[in-house]
Short mmCIF file of all heavy atoms in Angstrom, two decimals:
data_model
loop_
_atom_site.label_atom_id
_atom_site.label_comp_id
_atom_site.label_asym_id
_atom_site.label_seq_id
_atom_site.Cartn_x
_atom_site.Cartn_y
_atom_site.Cartn_z
N GLN L 123 -13.23 -18.27 -4.07
CA GLN L 123 -13.40 -18.69 -2.69
C GLN L 123 -14.26 -17.62 -2.03
O GLN L 123 -13.86 -16.47 -1.92
CB GLN L 123 -12.04 -18.77 -1.99
CG GLN L 123 -12.15 -19.11 -0.52
CD GLN L 123 -10.86 -18.78 0.22
OE1 GLN L 123 -9.81 -18.68 -0.39
NE2 GLN L 123 -10.96 -18.59 1.51
N LEU L 127 -13.74 -12.38 3.03
CA LEU L 127 -12.69 -11.91 2.12
C LEU L 127 -12.71 -12.80 0.88
O LEU L 127 -11.92 -13.73 0.77
CB LEU L 127 -11.31 -12.01 2.78
CG LEU L 127 -11.00 -11.10 3.96
CD1 LEU L 127 -9.65 -11.44 4.56
CD2 LEU L 127 -11.02 -9.64 3.53
N ASN L 129 -11.99 -14.42 -2.65
CA ASN L 129 -10.79 -14.41 -3.49
C ASN L 129 -11.11 -15.03 -4.83
O ASN L 129 -11.92 -15.95 -4.92
CB ASN L 129 -9.64 -15.15 -2.80
CG ASN L 129 -8.71 -14.19 -2.10
OD1 ASN L 129 -8.11 -13.33 -2.73
ND2 ASN L 129 -8.61 -14.31 -0.78
N LEU L 155 1.41 -25.95 -0.31
CA LEU L 155 1.17 -24.51 -0.33
C LEU L 155 2.02 -23.92 -1.45
O LEU L 155 3.25 -23.99 -1.42
CB LEU L 155 1.56 -23.91 1.03
CG LEU L 155 1.42 -22.40 1.21
CD1 LEU L 155 0.02 -21.92 0.85
CD2 LEU L 155 1.75 -22.01 2.66
N TRP L 165 -1.28 -17.22 -2.97
CA TRP L 165 -0.79 -18.35 -2.19
C TRP L 165 -1.94 -19.32 -2.06
O TRP L 165 -2.99 -18.98 -1.50
CB TRP L 165 -0.28 -17.89 -0.81
CG TRP L 165 1.08 -17.27 -0.92
CD1 TRP L 165 1.37 -15.95 -1.12
CD2 TRP L 165 2.35 -17.95 -0.85
NE1 TRP L 165 2.74 -15.76 -1.19
CE2 TRP L 165 3.36 -16.97 -1.02
CE3 TRP L 165 2.73 -19.28 -0.65
CZ2 TRP L 165 4.72 -17.28 -1.01
CZ3 TRP L 165 4.08 -19.59 -0.64
CH2 TRP L 165 5.06 -18.60 -0.81
N VAL L 166 -1.73 -20.51 -2.61
CA VAL L 166 -2.82 -21.46 -2.80
C VAL L 166 -2.61 -22.68 -1.91
O VAL L 166 -1.57 -23.33 -1.98
CB VAL L 166 -2.90 -21.88 -4.29
CG1 VAL L 166 -4.08 -22.81 -4.52
CG2 VAL L 166 -2.98 -20.65 -5.19
N PHE L 167 -3.60 -22.98 -1.09
CA PHE L 167 -3.57 -24.14 -0.20
C PHE L 167 -4.21 -25.32 -0.92
O PHE L 167 -5.35 -25.23 -1.37
CB PHE L 167 -4.34 -23.85 1.09
CG PHE L 167 -3.67 -22.84 1.99
CD1 PHE L 167 -3.63 -21.49 1.65
CD2 PHE L 167 -3.09 -23.24 3.18
CE1 PHE L 167 -3.02 -20.55 2.48
CE2 PHE L 167 -2.47 -22.31 4.02
CZ PHE L 167 -2.43 -20.96 3.67
N GLU L 169 -5.14 -29.18 -0.23
CA GLU L 169 -5.26 -30.18 0.84
C GLU L 169 -6.01 -31.39 0.29
O GLU L 169 -7.11 -31.24 -0.24
CB GLU L 169 -5.97 -29.55 2.04
CG GLU L 169 -5.11 -28.45 2.68
CD GLU L 169 -5.88 -27.50 3.60
OE1 GLU L 169 -6.56 -26.59 3.08
OE2 GLU L 169 -5.77 -27.66 4.82
N THR L 174 -8.26 -25.77 -1.55
CA THR L 174 -9.27 -25.50 -0.52
C THR L 174 -9.49 -24.01 -0.30
O THR L 174 -10.58 -23.57 0.03
CB THR L 174 -8.87 -26.15 0.81
OG1 THR L 174 -7.52 -25.76 1.11
CG2 THR L 174 -8.94 -27.67 0.69
N ARG L 175 -8.42 -23.22 -0.46
CA ARG L 175 -8.52 -21.77 -0.21
C ARG L 175 -7.26 -21.11 -0.74
O ARG L 175 -6.27 -21.77 -1.00
CB ARG L 175 -8.67 -21.48 1.28
CG ARG L 175 -7.56 -22.11 2.09
CD ARG L 175 -8.01 -22.42 3.52
NE ARG L 175 -7.12 -23.36 4.14
CZ ARG L 175 -6.27 -23.05 5.13
NH1 ARG L 175 -6.20 -21.83 5.61
NH2 ARG L 175 -5.49 -23.98 5.65
N PHE L 176 -7.31 -19.79 -0.87
CA PHE L 176 -6.12 -19.07 -1.32
C PHE L 176 -6.20 -17.61 -0.92
O PHE L 176 -7.27 -17.09 -0.59
CB PHE L 176 -5.93 -19.22 -2.83
CG PHE L 176 -7.11 -18.84 -3.66
CD1 PHE L 176 -7.19 -17.61 -4.29
CD2 PHE L 176 -8.18 -19.72 -3.86
CE1 PHE L 176 -8.28 -17.25 -5.07
CE2 PHE L 176 -9.28 -19.38 -4.62
CZ PHE L 176 -9.33 -18.14 -5.23
N PHE L 177 -5.04 -16.98 -0.91
CA PHE L 177 -4.94 -15.56 -0.59
C PHE L 177 -4.40 -14.80 -1.80
O PHE L 177 -3.63 -15.35 -2.58
CB PHE L 177 -3.98 -15.33 0.59
CG PHE L 177 -4.54 -15.75 1.92
CD1 PHE L 177 -4.35 -17.04 2.39
CD2 PHE L 177 -5.24 -14.84 2.69
CE1 PHE L 177 -4.87 -17.43 3.61
CE2 PHE L 177 -5.77 -15.22 3.92
CZ PHE L 177 -5.57 -16.52 4.39
N THR L 178 -4.81 -13.56 -1.91
CA THR L 178 -4.25 -12.67 -2.93
C THR L 178 -3.57 -11.50 -2.21
O THR L 178 -4.23 -10.79 -1.45
CB THR L 178 -5.36 -12.11 -3.83
OG1 THR L 178 -6.10 -13.19 -4.38
CG2 THR L 178 -4.77 -11.26 -4.95
N PHE L 179 -2.28 -11.34 -2.43
CA PHE L 179 -1.55 -10.21 -1.89
C PHE L 179 -1.24 -9.26 -3.05
O PHE L 179 -0.64 -9.69 -4.04
CB PHE L 179 -0.23 -10.67 -1.26
CG PHE L 179 -0.41 -11.51 -0.01
CD1 PHE L 179 -0.64 -12.88 -0.10
CD2 PHE L 179 -0.35 -10.92 1.24
CE1 PHE L 179 -0.79 -13.65 1.04
CE2 PHE L 179 -0.51 -11.69 2.39
CZ PHE L 179 -0.73 -13.05 2.30
N HIS L 256 6.44 -8.61 4.62
CA HIS L 256 5.11 -8.50 5.25
C HIS L 256 4.15 -9.55 4.68
O HIS L 256 3.32 -10.09 5.40
CB HIS L 256 4.54 -7.10 5.07
CG HIS L 256 5.00 -6.13 6.11
ND1 HIS L 256 4.53 -6.13 7.41
CD2 HIS L 256 5.92 -5.13 6.07
CE1 HIS L 256 5.12 -5.16 8.11
NE2 HIS L 256 5.98 -4.55 7.32
N GLU L 257 4.26 -9.81 3.38
CA GLU L 257 3.41 -10.86 2.77
C GLU L 257 3.68 -12.20 3.46
O GLU L 257 2.74 -12.90 3.87
CB GLU L 257 3.72 -10.93 1.27
CG GLU L 257 2.96 -12.02 0.54
CD GLU L 257 3.31 -12.08 -0.96
OE1 GLU L 257 3.65 -11.03 -1.55
OE2 GLU L 257 3.22 -13.18 -1.54
N LEU L 258 4.96 -12.54 3.60
CA LEU L 258 5.31 -13.83 4.22
C LEU L 258 4.96 -13.84 5.71
O LEU L 258 4.53 -14.87 6.24
CB LEU L 258 6.79 -14.12 3.99
CG LEU L 258 7.19 -14.28 2.51
CD1 LEU L 258 8.70 -14.46 2.39
CD2 LEU L 258 6.45 -15.44 1.85
N ALA L 259 5.09 -12.69 6.37
CA ALA L 259 4.70 -12.61 7.79
C ALA L 259 3.20 -12.81 7.93
O ALA L 259 2.73 -13.44 8.89
CB ALA L 259 5.13 -11.26 8.38
N GLY L 260 2.43 -12.29 6.97
CA GLY L 260 0.98 -12.50 6.98
C GLY L 260 0.64 -13.98 6.86
O GLY L 260 -0.23 -14.50 7.58
N LEU L 261 1.34 -14.67 5.96
CA LEU L 261 1.12 -16.11 5.81
C LEU L 261 1.55 -16.86 7.07
O LEU L 261 0.87 -17.80 7.50
CB LEU L 261 1.89 -16.64 4.60
CG LEU L 261 1.24 -16.34 3.26
CD1 LEU L 261 2.22 -16.64 2.14
CD2 LEU L 261 -0.04 -17.17 3.08
N SER L 262 2.67 -16.45 7.65
CA SER L 262 3.13 -17.08 8.90
C SER L 262 2.04 -16.96 9.97
O SER L 262 1.78 -17.91 10.71
CB SER L 262 4.40 -16.40 9.42
OG SER L 262 5.49 -16.66 8.57
N ALA L 263 1.41 -15.78 10.06
CA ALA L 263 0.36 -15.56 11.06
C ALA L 263 -0.83 -16.48 10.80
O ALA L 263 -1.41 -17.04 11.74
CB ALA L 263 -0.07 -14.10 11.07
N VAL L 264 -1.18 -16.63 9.52
CA VAL L 264 -2.30 -17.51 9.17
C VAL L 264 -1.97 -18.95 9.55
O VAL L 264 -2.79 -19.65 10.17
CB VAL L 264 -2.61 -17.40 7.66
CG1 VAL L 264 -3.55 -18.51 7.21
CG2 VAL L 264 -3.19 -16.03 7.33
N LEU L 265 -0.77 -19.39 9.18
CA LEU L 265 -0.37 -20.77 9.50
C LEU L 265 -0.33 -20.98 11.01
O LEU L 265 -0.85 -21.97 11.53
CB LEU L 265 1.02 -21.06 8.91
CG LEU L 265 1.11 -21.10 7.38
CD1 LEU L 265 2.57 -21.30 6.94
CD2 LEU L 265 0.23 -22.20 6.80
N SER L 266 0.27 -20.04 11.70
CA SER L 266 0.44 -20.15 13.14
C SER L 266 -0.91 -20.23 13.86
O SER L 266 -1.09 -20.99 14.81
CB SER L 266 1.27 -18.96 13.62
OG SER L 266 1.24 -18.86 15.00
N ALA L 267 -1.88 -19.43 13.41
CA ALA L 267 -3.21 -19.44 14.03
C ALA L 267 -3.88 -20.81 13.90
O ALA L 267 -4.76 -21.17 14.68
CB ALA L 267 -4.09 -18.36 13.42
N GLU L 268 -3.45 -21.57 12.88
CA GLU L 268 -4.02 -22.91 12.66
C GLU L 268 -3.15 -24.00 13.26
O GLU L 268 -3.40 -25.19 13.05
CB GLU L 268 -4.19 -23.15 11.16
CG GLU L 268 -5.13 -22.16 10.50
CD GLU L 268 -5.21 -22.33 8.98
OE1 GLU L 268 -4.46 -23.17 8.44
OE2 GLU L 268 -6.01 -21.63 8.36
N GLY L 269 -2.10 -23.59 13.98
CA GLY L 269 -1.23 -24.58 14.62
C GLY L 269 -0.17 -25.17 13.68
O GLY L 269 0.45 -26.18 14.02
N PHE L 270 0.02 -24.52 12.54
CA PHE L 270 1.00 -25.03 11.57
C PHE L 270 2.29 -24.21 11.60
O PHE L 270 2.30 -23.06 12.06
CB PHE L 270 0.45 -24.94 10.14
CG PHE L 270 -0.63 -25.94 9.83
CD1 PHE L 270 -1.91 -25.51 9.49
CD2 PHE L 270 -0.36 -27.31 9.85
CE1 PHE L 270 -2.91 -26.44 9.18
CE2 PHE L 270 -1.36 -28.23 9.53
CZ PHE L 270 -2.63 -27.79 9.21
N THR L 271 3.35 -24.81 11.06
CA THR L 271 4.55 -24.06 10.71
C THR L 271 4.77 -24.26 9.21
O THR L 271 4.17 -25.16 8.60
CB THR L 271 5.78 -24.55 11.48
OG1 THR L 271 6.03 -25.92 11.12
CG2 THR L 271 5.56 -24.45 12.99
N TRP L 272 5.66 -23.48 8.63
CA TRP L 272 5.95 -23.61 7.19
C TRP L 272 6.34 -25.04 6.80
O TRP L 272 5.86 -25.56 5.78
CB TRP L 272 7.05 -22.64 6.78
CG TRP L 272 6.61 -21.21 6.67
CD1 TRP L 272 6.65 -20.25 7.65
CD2 TRP L 272 6.05 -20.56 5.51
NE1 TRP L 272 6.17 -19.06 7.17
CE2 TRP L 272 5.80 -19.21 5.86
CE3 TRP L 272 5.76 -20.98 4.22
CZ2 TRP L 272 5.27 -18.29 4.96
CZ3 TRP L 272 5.23 -20.06 3.31
CH2 TRP L 272 4.98 -18.74 3.69
N ASP L 274 5.39 -27.77 7.73
CA ASP L 274 4.27 -28.72 7.65
C ASP L 274 3.69 -28.80 6.25
O ASP L 274 2.85 -29.66 5.97
CB ASP L 274 3.15 -28.29 8.61
CG ASP L 274 3.58 -28.38 10.07
OD1 ASP L 274 4.39 -29.27 10.38
OD2 ASP L 274 3.10 -27.56 10.89
N TRP L 275 4.10 -27.91 5.36
CA TRP L 275 3.54 -27.83 4.03
C TRP L 275 4.60 -28.12 2.98
O TRP L 275 5.74 -27.71 3.10
CB TRP L 275 2.94 -26.42 3.79
CG TRP L 275 1.78 -26.16 4.73
CD1 TRP L 275 1.86 -25.85 6.05
CD2 TRP L 275 0.39 -26.28 4.43
NE1 TRP L 275 0.60 -25.74 6.59
CE2 TRP L 275 -0.33 -26.00 5.61
CE3 TRP L 275 -0.33 -26.58 3.26
CZ2 TRP L 275 -1.71 -26.02 5.67
CZ3 TRP L 275 -1.72 -26.59 3.32
CH2 TRP L 275 -2.40 -26.32 4.52
N GLN L 297 13.05 -18.19 7.03
CA GLN L 297 12.46 -19.44 7.52
C GLN L 297 13.40 -20.63 7.36
O GLN L 297 13.03 -21.75 7.74
CB GLN L 297 11.14 -19.74 6.78
CG GLN L 297 10.10 -18.63 6.86
CD GLN L 297 9.51 -18.47 8.25
OE1 GLN L 297 9.59 -19.37 9.07
NE2 GLN L 297 8.95 -17.29 8.52
N HIS A 218 -11.20 -8.20 12.22
CA HIS A 218 -11.57 -9.61 12.42
C HIS A 218 -11.00 -10.55 11.37
O HIS A 218 -10.97 -11.76 11.57
CB HIS A 218 -13.10 -9.75 12.46
CG HIS A 218 -13.74 -8.96 13.56
ND1 HIS A 218 -13.44 -9.18 14.88
CD2 HIS A 218 -14.64 -7.95 13.52
CE1 HIS A 218 -14.15 -8.34 15.63
NE2 HIS A 218 -14.87 -7.57 14.83
N HIS A 219 -10.63 -10.03 10.21
CA HIS A 219 -10.12 -10.88 9.14
C HIS A 219 -8.80 -10.32 8.60
O HIS A 219 -8.47 -10.53 7.44
CB HIS A 219 -11.14 -10.98 8.00
CG HIS A 219 -12.51 -11.42 8.45
ND1 HIS A 219 -12.82 -12.73 8.70
CD2 HIS A 219 -13.62 -10.71 8.74
CE1 HIS A 219 -14.07 -12.82 9.10
NE2 HIS A 219 -14.59 -11.60 9.13
N GLY A 220 -8.08 -9.61 9.42
CA GLY A 220 -6.90 -8.90 8.95
C GLY A 220 -5.58 -9.62 9.16
O GLY A 220 -4.52 -9.06 8.90
N GLN A 221 -5.66 -10.87 9.59
CA GLN A 221 -4.48 -11.63 9.96
C GLN A 221 -3.38 -11.65 8.90
O GLN A 221 -2.20 -11.51 9.21
CB GLN A 221 -4.93 -13.06 10.21
CG GLN A 221 -4.04 -13.86 11.09
CD GLN A 221 -4.80 -15.09 11.56
OE1 GLN A 221 -5.44 -15.79 10.77
NE2 GLN A 221 -4.74 -15.35 12.84
N ALA A 222 -3.77 -11.82 7.64
CA ALA A 222 -2.76 -11.92 6.57
C ALA A 222 -2.18 -10.55 6.22
O ALA A 222 -1.22 -10.47 5.46
CB ALA A 222 -3.38 -12.56 5.33
N GLY A 223 -2.74 -9.49 6.79
CA GLY A 223 -2.17 -8.16 6.57
C GLY A 223 -2.89 -7.39 5.48
O GLY A 223 -3.66 -7.92 4.69
N VAL A 224 -2.57 -6.10 5.44
CA VAL A 224 -3.30 -5.18 4.58
C VAL A 224 -3.04 -5.45 3.10
O VAL A 224 -3.91 -5.19 2.25
CB VAL A 224 -2.95 -3.72 4.97
CG1 VAL A 224 -1.50 -3.37 4.63
CG2 VAL A 224 -3.89 -2.72 4.33
N ALA A 226 -3.10 -8.18 1.73
CA ALA A 226 -4.09 -9.20 1.33
C ALA A 226 -5.51 -8.66 1.41
O ALA A 226 -6.32 -8.88 0.51
CB ALA A 226 -3.94 -10.44 2.21
N THR A 227 -5.84 -7.95 2.49
CA THR A 227 -7.25 -7.58 2.68
C THR A 227 -7.74 -6.56 1.66
O THR A 227 -8.92 -6.57 1.31
CB THR A 227 -7.50 -7.02 4.09
OG1 THR A 227 -6.66 -5.89 4.31
CG2 THR A 227 -7.23 -8.08 5.16
#
Side-chain angles (χ1 to χ4, degrees):
Chain L
Q123 177 197 338
L127 292 174
N129 262 299
L155 178 53
W165 282 90
V166 183
F167 291 72
E169 293 163 282
T174 51
R175 55 207 163 109
F176 53 100
F177 287 90
T178 305
F179 293 85
H256 275 285
E257 177 181 331
L258 297 176
L261 282 168
S262 291
V264 168
L265 293 176
S266 168
E268 298 175 356
F270 288 118
T271 62
W272 284 92
D274 294 328
W275 296 77
Q297 304 290 340
Chain A
H218 300 300
H219 307 280
Q221 203 164 47
V224 68
T227 58

